[in-house]
Amino acid sequence: MAKIYPQIDEEWKEILTDEFQKPYFEVLKDFLVNERNRYIVYPPGPKIFEAFNRTPYSKVKIVLLGQDPYHGPGQAHGLCFSVPEGIIFPPSLQNILKELEADLGYPYPKSGNLSAWADQGVLLINATLTVRANMAGSHQGKGWELFTDAVIKKLSEDRNGLVFLLWGRYAQNKKVLIDQNKHFILEAPHPSPLSVYRGFFGCRHFSKANQWLEKNGKIPVDWKL
């Protein structure tokens, strides 16, 4: 019987083929089928692996790790912190864009769609790739974290000179998966209203990431939206 793979970029499919065949991933797939039969689940099926489809393995320059997809109608589209065109910016995204404006002087954007970053090599992944509508954290502990940890480890082991943006304690706990001798880690509090004034504002991660990329002979990211 032919193996059925997720809708994911061919490079990533090859890199992660072992993960897709592990028992936990089969359990995760069954869980998602049952969830979709009973509840609304975000993001839509074709968008679950949007971060990987927008940013193929060989194009990754920066990894930005979120925790959970947005759980409101129309918000989640497979890229952490991002929302589609026309969707009101959630508070954390508002604060990210304020810091971008302060750091690089770009005007505050009209769109919260961060696809342009993903297309330039910024892997915008959540640790958990799906969520039940209106229930934050509802798909945590079901297997997604095993999968995304494997992604981080693959990038750490097999690539060189990547930038990892770790915002908040949850993301910073993933630091143990990253070889700090090969990669550049930037840490700051989470951009949520609860912690943004504890050091996220003023962290200047956008310019610092670009300085690292340029120093290592890579094309910097045009963060303007």
Side-chain angles (χ1 to χ4, degrees):
M1 185 174 172
K3 185 73 181 172
I4 298 174
Y5 287 96
Q7 294 174 305
I8 193 168
D9 168 79
E10 288 297 322
E11 276 189 359
W12 281 112
K13 185 188 293 184
E14 185 174 341
I15 294 289
L16 298 170
T17 187
D18 289 347
E19 294 302 311
F20 294 135
Q21 296 180 50
K22 288 181 178 177
Y24 83 83
F25 204 85
E26 291 299 321
V27 172
L28 174 60
K29 284 197 296 187
D30 290 341
F31 167 76
L32 289 173
V33 169
N34 289 331
E35 280 285 287
R36 288 197 184 279
N37 285 338
R38 299 173 63 194
Y39 308 104
I40 296 170
V41 172
Y42 300 129
K47 292 291 184 180
I48 291 174
F49 293 97
E50 180 74 356
F52 301 90
N53 292 329
R54 285 275 184 180
T55 314
Y57 174 78
S58 62
K59 305 292 186 187
V60 176
K61 295 190 286 194
I62 297 175
V63 180
L64 174 53
L65 182 69
Q67 187 168 353
D68 238 15
Y70 296 127
H71 54 83
Q75 292 179 315
H77 68 137
L79 305 175
C80 72
F81 295 112
S82 179
V83 292
E85 307 288 339
I87 298 294
I88 294 171
F89 302 178
S92 291
L93 178 57
Q94 291 179 33
N95 290 332
I96 290 167
L97 299 176
K98 286 176 186 174
E99 175 58 24
L100 175 66
E101 184 178 23
D103 185 4
L104 296 174
Y106 294 147
Y108 192 80
K110 293 182 172 61
S111 169
N113 188 335
L114 307 182
S115 295
W117 296 357
D119 292 342
Q120 296 177 74
V122 183
L123 184 66
L124 298 165
I125 55 167
N126 284 304
T128 304
L129 298 188
T130 56
V131 69
R132 190 188 299 177
N134 305 313
M135 285 190 66
S138 49
H139 287 189
Q140 291 177 7
K142 305 299 183 183
W144 278 129
E145 295 92 341
L146 295 172
F147 177 75
T148 50
D149 280 3
V151 170
I152 295 167
K153 281 191 260 190
K154 288 274 189 191
L155 287 166
S156 175
E157 291 168 5
D158 300 341
R159 298 288 307 279
N160 286 295
L162 301 181
V163 181
F164 288 84
L165 302 181
L166 305 182
W167 296 344
R169 190 172 301 162
Y170 184 88
Q172 287 157 15
N173 287 339
K174 305 294 184 181
K175 192 162 61 170
V176 296
L177 305 173
I178 304 163
D179 185 343
Q180 296 180 61
N181 295 315
K182 295 168 60 181
H183 305 289
F184 185 41
I185 296 176
L186 287 167
E187 299 180 67
H190 195 276
S192 78
L194 295 173
S195 55
V196 71
Y197 288 102
R198 296 180 194 154
F200 181 81
F201 282 154
C203 71
R204 304 201 66 196
H205 279 186
F206 303 101
S207 58
K208 289 176 181 177
N210 273 352
Q211 287 163 12
W212 167 268
L213 292 175
E214 288 185 296
K215 190 173 79 173
N216 286 271
K218 297 180 182 180
I219 297 171
V221 173
D222 180 0
W223 295 105
K224 190 173 183 179
L225 294 168

